[in-house]
Amino acid sequence: MPETAATTAPQDPETSALTGEQAHLDTLYQRLDQMREYASTRLSRVLLEGGGTPQARSERESFTQLYSEDLARYDAAENGMYFGRLDLVDGEVRHVGRLGILDEDDDFEPLLLDWRAPLARQFYLATPAAPDGVARRRHVRTRNRSVNAVNDEYLDLSQASLPGPETSGVAGEVALLEALNAARTGQMTDIVETIQGEQDGIIRSEHRSVLVVQGGPGTGKTAVALHRAAYLLYTHRKQLSRSGVLIIGPNSTFLDYIARVLPSLGETGVLLSTIGDLYPGVVATVADSAEADQIKGSLDFAAALKLAVRDRQSVPSAPMEIRFDNYTLKLDRKIATRARGRARSSRRPHNLARPIFASMIVEDLADQLAQTIGGSVVDGSNLLSRDDMADIRDEMREDAAVQSAISELWPELTPQQVLAELLTSADRLATATPKLAEAQRKTLLRNGFGGFSAADAPLLDELAELLGVDNSAAAEREKAQWRQQIADAQGALDILTGSQPQDLEDELDPEILMAYDLIDASQLARRHDNAEHQTTAERAAEDRTWTYGHVIVDEAQELSPMAWRMLMRRSPNRWMTVVGDTAQTGSAAGTASWADVLSPYVAQRWRLRELTVNYRTPREIMDLAADVLAVIDPSQVPPRSIRDSGHTPRAIQVEPGLLPDAVADSLRALPDEGIAVVLAPAAELPRLAHLASDNVSVLSVSSAKGLEFDSVLIVEPQQIIDESERGLNDLYVALTRATQRLAVLHSAALPDVLSALARTSAGVSR
C-alpha cells in the first residue's frame, strides 16, 4: 500500500526539535528511574545489615549516607532535569542538566552532563563574539516529564540555518527574560538554566581564600553564592561532605526565601543560619537598639568581655571562715590572691584554670589544718605523714564548705550566665566597660533579662572562648548514658530470649538464626543512637567548635566586627565566599569597606569580583535608585539593567491620617498575580500590619534584605531616612526590591533624592 500523506509529510523544524528533545528526555527519565531503583534497593539492604566490626559499621554508615544522598539528588532533579544542549562545530552534541547521567549500554557515554562539569561550561560562556566551538546553543523548557518549548541561539553563523544571533550581551536572552518577567512566588528559584558569563566565572572560581562578590541590587549575588556552594560541593565532594558548608543570611525570612535552591540542585548537606542563631542552643528573640548593636558589634567589646570574666575571679575583702572536720580554717585575701595569680598565669580559659585555683586553695587550707593539728609543716616536724596530707586534700576536694568557698571566689561559669548578669547589672557593666560613657551603658543595661539578641550571639561565642569548657563531667555522663543504653538493650534481648518457648526452641532447626544470634547488646544500642544517623549539617549545628570546609556569607556588609570574629573561628582555613554591597549597608555596626573587615584575618589574600548587570530591577526603577546611590557613594557605578518593565514609578501624596487606607487602595489596584510588599519605617508598621496576606508582606527595610517582589509600596521615605544614620542606604535597598512596579506613598515631603519621582507624579490621595 502506498504511504499516506500523514506519514510522509516532513515535520516543521520546531515540531521536529520538540519531538527529538522529547525522545531524549524520555531516555533520561528511564535511566533516572533505574538509578533511583538501584540506590533504593542498595539502601534497603544496607539498613537491614546489623552487627559486625567497627570497620563494618563505619562502612555501613558511609553507604547509608551515600545512597541517601543519591536518592535526594535524583528526587531534586526530577523537575527541570534537562534544560540545555550544545551543538559543536565538529558535530559533537552535549546535553546539559541538573545532574550527570551515563549510558550503561554505550560504554558509559554521557547522556546528560551535570551543569557543574567542565564540559558543560560552554553552555554559559559561549557568545556570538566568542563561540568557543559552539555552533548552536539550545534552551529546552520542560514541565514534569514533557518538553514544552525549545529556543535556539546560533553562535557560529556559518553553521546556522536560521538568522538571529543575540546582541543583548546576555546568553539565552529569551529564557532569561522569561524567568525575570515571571511572577514571583515568595520562594527563590535556582538560575541553573540562565547563568551568565560573569556569574559563571565567580561560581567556578578556584580562589582558596576569601572571595568577595560585590554587586549592586538585582545582580544575582545570592544566586551566585548558592550556585557556588553547589559547584564546590560537586568539585570537592570528599572534603566538604565531611566538614560541611555554612551559609549565613541576614534574617530568618531570607533563609526561608532561599531554602529550596540548594535542594533543587541536589545538595542538602548545607547548614543555613543567621548570626543570631549560630550559637548552639540560643535563639535570638530580643531586638536591640541600633546604638546597642553598634556598641556590642565593636571589637572593643571583646576587651569588655575579658574584664567581665576577670571580675568573676575575686578575692575576699575579709577572711572567710570555713568549718572542716571540727576545725575552723581561714581563707584570707593573701591565700586567694596567690591562688588567683597562679591560675591566671597558666593562660588557660577561666573554667579550665579553675582547677589550678582550687588546687592552690586546698593546698593552703590543708597546710593550715596540718599546722593546727601537728605543728609546723615548713621544718618537717609535723606529725602528719605525706599520706595523711594526701588524704586531707582529697577530703577537702569533696567537702561542701571548701568547694562552696572556692566557687564563690572562682565560680564555674557559662557564657549565657556571664552575659545575662553583665547586661542586667549596672555595677558589672561599669567594671567591664570603663571607656564607655554612662549614657552608652544605659543603652546596654536591661531591666531584667528577657532573652538574647542577634548581637549577643558573637558575644556568647567570645565568652565561650574566654571561659573554656571542662568536658570531663560531660564525658563521664555520656559514658554512663552509653552503659545504660547497653543495659537496656541487653534487657530487651534477654526478654526476647526468655519469651521463646522451650519446646518450640527444641523443635527449631539449629541452622535458623534468631535475633539474639545476629546482634548483641552494644549493636542494638548503637542502632538506636540518633547521633550516628545525623547529617554533617545537623552535627555541625550542635557543635560550637565545628569548623567548616567553606563558609558563604550573604548580605555580608551588615556583619559587625564581632560577628566576623565569630565566623572566622568557624573557618580556620579562611576559605569563604562573601557577597554583599557596601552601598546597601543598613546596620550601624556594618561596614563600608571590605578591606577593613578582612585584612586583619587574611591580609591581602582576599580577592574582589564584581557583578555589573542588574537582572531584577527594571531600568525605570534603577534610574531613580541611581540618584540615591550617587549621594551615598558617588564613586559607585549602578548596575546596568537589562530590561524595561513598562511601569513608571509613581509617588502618591497622602493626607496624614489616611495613610493605611491609601496603602490598602494601592494594593487593591495591583494585578492578582505575583507578590507585593509594603516597606515602611518602624513607627508605621503597627498601623499597616493588618494589610499582610498570603501574597502581601508588610516589612521593615532590614527584614526585606536580599528579597524581591513583583510590586513594592514604599511608605514615608523621609522617615525611613531619618530613623537610621544609614537611612539613605535603607532607602536604596527599598527602591530596588521590585521586579515590576514601584509606588511611594508619603504625607511628609519627598526627600530631595527622590526629586525625579516628584516630577513624574501628581495627585493627592484623600
Side-chain angles (χ1 to χ4, degrees):
M1 284 183 62
E3 294 180 326
T4 64
T7 61
T8 58
Q11 293 181 323
D12 64 83
E14 182 177 356
T15 302
S16 178
L18 288 170
T19 302
E21 297 302 348
Q22 183 63 58
H24 189 69
L25 186 65
D26 292 342
T27 301
L28 291 175
Y29 275 112
Q30 181 181 8
R31 183 73 185 101
L32 180 68
D33 290 340
Q34 292 171 351
M35 293 160 62
R36 183 185 284 117
E37 182 179 0
Y38 174 81
S40 179
T41 301
R42 293 299 303 165
L43 179 60
S44 299
R45 290 179 181 175
V46 169
L47 292 175
L48 288 174
E49 294 174 1
T53 63
Q55 179 180 348
R57 290 195 297 271
S58 177
E59 290 176 353
R60 184 173 66 249
E61 290 160 14
S62 297
F63 281 122
T64 299
Q65 182 175 355
L66 172 65
Y67 293 127
S68 297
E69 290 178 352
D70 282 346
L71 286 172
R73 191 155 48 247
Y74 301 154
D75 290 342
E78 175 70 29
N79 293 317
M81 175 174 62
Y82 168 44
F83 55 77
R85 166 175 160 166
L86 289 172
D87 292 0
L88 305 186
V89 174
D90 63 7
E92 181 184 356
V93 175
R94 299 176 188 170
H95 300 88
V96 182
R98 293 178 180 275
L99 80 168
I101 296 180
L102 301 178
D103 187 354
E104 286 189 336
D105 299 329
D106 189 15
D107 294 329
F108 295 96
E109 286 295 313
L111 288 171
L112 189 67
L113 288 171
D114 190 299
W115 65 274
R116 296 165 287 191
L119 288 176
R121 196 172 188 189
Q122 289 153 294
F123 186 77
Y124 302 110
L125 297 184
T127 66
D132 195 18
V134 178
R136 179 178 66 181
R137 172 171 46 216
R138 170 172 288 175
H139 291 266
V140 181
R141 292 194 288 270
T142 65
R143 182 176 179 83
N144 297 323
R145 295 193 170 196
S146 298
V147 175
N148 286 352
V150 298
N151 171 249
D152 288 338
E153 302 171 71
Y154 291 92
L155 307 183
D156 185 333
L157 299 186
S158 66
Q159 300 289 319
S161 57
L162 293 173
E166 297 178 3
T167 58
S168 65
V170 297
E173 183 178 18
V174 173
L176 177 62
L177 292 180
E178 182 179 278
L180 295 178
N181 288 319
R184 268 44 186 174
T185 64
Q187 287 282 339
M188 185 178 183
T189 57
D190 63 66
I191 60 167
V192 65
E193 301 176 34
T194 57
I195 293 171
Q196 299 301 303
E198 69 172 5
Q199 296 173 326
D200 184 82
I202 294 170
I203 290 169
R204 298 176 193 261
S205 171
E206 291 301 321
H207 185 59
R208 293 302 292 260
S209 187
V210 179
L211 179 67
V212 177
V213 183
Q214 164 84 24
T219 53
K221 298 183 297 295
T222 298
V224 166
L226 295 175
H227 287 70
R228 176 160 171 76
Y231 172 77
L232 293 176
L233 284 163
Y234 170 85
T235 308
H236 305 279
R237 177 77 62 190
K238 186 175 182 180
Q239 173 188 348
L240 295 181
S241 64
R242 292 194 305 267
S243 57
V245 173
L246 170 66
I247 296 180
I248 294 293
N251 51 58
S252 58
T253 304
F254 174 84
L255 295 183
D256 291 341
Y257 173 62
I258 68 171
R260 295 182 186 175
V261 175
L262 282 169
S264 75
L265 297 172
E267 303 297 347
T268 56
V270 174
L271 177 63
L272 276 66
S273 178
T274 64
I275 284 291
D277 296 336
L278 189 56
Y279 190 88
V282 173
V283 177
T285 57
V286 174
D288 277 329
S289 67
E291 185 179 5
D293 271 343
Q294 189 171 18
I295 295 170
K296 291 179 178 180
S298 168
L299 288 179
D300 291 339
F301 214 80
L305 295 176
K306 186 177 292 186
L307 289 176
V309 172
R310 290 176 71 88
D311 186 42
R312 309 303 291 268
Q313 302 164 356
S314 59
V315 296
S317 56
M320 302 171 67
E321 293 188 348
I322 301 173
R323 193 71 179 165
F324 177 77
D325 200 17
N326 295 322
Y327 293 92
T328 299
L329 306 175
K330 290 187 177 181
L331 201 173
D332 59 21
R333 186 179 185 87
K334 181 179 179 181
I335 292 174
T337 300
R338 191 166 74 93
R340 184 176 68 176
R342 181 70 62 84
R344 285 179 174 176
S345 65
S346 72
R347 299 187 178 277
R348 296 181 183 179
H350 173 90
N351 289 334
L352 301 184
R354 186 177 183 275
I356 298 175
F357 177 84
S359 179
M360 292 292 294
I361 297 295
V362 166
E363 187 80 28
D364 277 330
L365 292 178
D367 287 348
Q368 191 179 135
L369 179 62
Q371 291 179 22
T372 302
I373 296 174
S376 175
V377 177
V378 177
D379 61 10
S381 62
N382 194 279
L383 299 178
L384 298 177
S385 68
R386 182 175 297 176
D387 289 342
D388 291 335
M389 292 297 294
D391 289 341
I392 290 173
R393 295 187 192 101
D394 288 343
E395 290 177 20
M396 284 186 172
R397 292 187 184 97
E398 301 297 327
D399 184 78
V402 173
Q403 291 305 312
S404 176
I406 291 172
S407 293
E408 183 177 340
L409 299 175
W410 194 296
E412 186 169 359
L413 300 169
T414 66
Q416 292 92 322
Q417 175 188 356
V418 174
L419 188 57
E421 292 176 0
L422 176 65
L423 297 178
T424 55
S425 168
D427 291 340
R428 292 195 186 281
L429 264 178
T431 301
T433 59
K435 294 182 179 180
L436 288 184
E438 187 62 29
Q440 291 176 304
R441 292 196 197 103
K442 287 182 179 179
T443 299
L444 297 177
L445 187 63
R446 299 181 186 175
N447 183 19
F449 186 73
F452 293 106
S453 69
D456 290 334
L459 309 187
L460 291 170
D461 202 62
E462 187 75 20
L463 283 168
E465 295 290 313
L466 294 170
L467 296 175
V469 179
D470 185 353
N471 289 320
S472 56
E476 188 56 41
R477 286 195 299 270
E478 287 183 9
K479 289 180 182 177
Q481 185 179 12
W482 177 242
R483 288 193 293 268
Q484 184 60 48
Q485 283 181 260
I486 291 178
D488 292 343
Q490 185 61 57
L493 288 174
D494 290 343
I495 292 173
L496 183 61
T497 304
S499 65
Q500 178 66 53
Q502 183 64 41
D503 55 349
L504 178 58
E505 186 175 304
D506 293 339
E507 295 175 5
L508 286 175
D509 187 332
E511 295 299 321
I512 297 178
L513 299 178
M514 306 301 290
Y516 40 79
D517 295 316
L518 297 173
I519 192 169
D520 61 24
S522 63
Q523 293 161 359
L524 181 60
R526 193 170 282 108
R527 284 197 173 194
H528 293 278
D529 185 4
N530 290 332
E532 287 201 355
H533 304 293
Q534 288 182 308
T535 65
T536 298
E538 289 169 339
R539 294 198 305 273
E542 297 175 358
D543 186 353
R544 189 196 72 83
T545 63
W546 191 278
T547 57
Y548 296 85
H550 194 79
V551 175
I552 291 176
V553 189
D554 206 343
E555 299 293 343
Q557 74 278 355
E558 302 297 331
L559 266 59
S560 70
M562 286 297 290
W564 282 108
R565 192 173 170 94
M566 180 185 193
L567 273 185
M568 290 299 176
R569 291 192 189 103
R570 284 151 178 79
S571 181
N573 65 359
R574 302 292 191 262
W575 191 20
M576 307 175 77
T577 301
V578 172
V579 300
D581 178 12
T582 52
Q584 297 184 62
T585 304
S587 170
T591 186
S593 167
W594 299 119
D596 287 349
V597 296
L598 295 175
S599 294
Y601 301 103
V602 294
Q604 302 302 315
R605 290 183 291 111
W606 62 280
R607 181 179 298 170
L608 178 68
R609 298 287 296 271
E610 294 194 63
L611 293 169
T612 61
V613 178
N614 189 330
Y615 304 99
R616 175 206 303 144
T617 315
R619 189 174 288 105
E620 301 95 328
I621 297 175
M622 199 60 219
D623 288 345
L624 180 66
D627 293 341
V628 181
L629 179 62
V631 178
I632 296 171
D633 185 353
S635 66
Q636 286 207 32
V637 178
R640 175 177 59 88
S641 295
I642 65 167
R643 66 190 179 96
D644 298 308
S645 68
H647 305 288
T648 302
R650 59 196 182 98
I652 304 172
Q653 189 172 356
V654 181
E655 295 290 346
L658 301 178
L659 186 63
D661 292 338
V663 174
D665 289 343
S666 295
L667 288 172
R668 281 191 289 270
L670 295 175
D672 292 335
E673 71 275 5
I675 58 174
V677 68
V678 178
L679 298 178
E684 297 292 344
L685 288 175
R687 287 208 295 161
L688 302 172
H690 67 283
L691 298 174
S693 65
D694 289 343
N695 62 344
V696 175
S697 300
V698 178
L699 301 173
S700 65
V701 177
S702 61
S703 296
K705 288 269 184 179
L707 307 182
E708 62 183 19
F709 306 86
D710 296 278
S711 303
V712 172
L713 305 182
I714 299 176
V715 174
E716 299 292 13
Q718 188 61 55
Q719 283 190 47
I720 290 176
I721 294 174
D722 293 342
E723 71 178 5
S724 166
E725 66 179 65
R726 286 179 165 158
L728 275 175
N729 301 59
D730 289 339
L731 180 59
Y732 183 59
V733 171
L735 289 169
T736 54
R737 297 306 94 196
T739 66
Q740 298 292 340
R741 302 167 190 83
L742 172 69
V744 177
L745 292 89
H746 63 103
S747 56
L750 283 174
D752 291 341
V753 291
L754 296 183
S755 58
L757 182 63
R759 289 194 298 270
T760 62
S761 305
V764 177
S765 177
R766 292 185 173 85

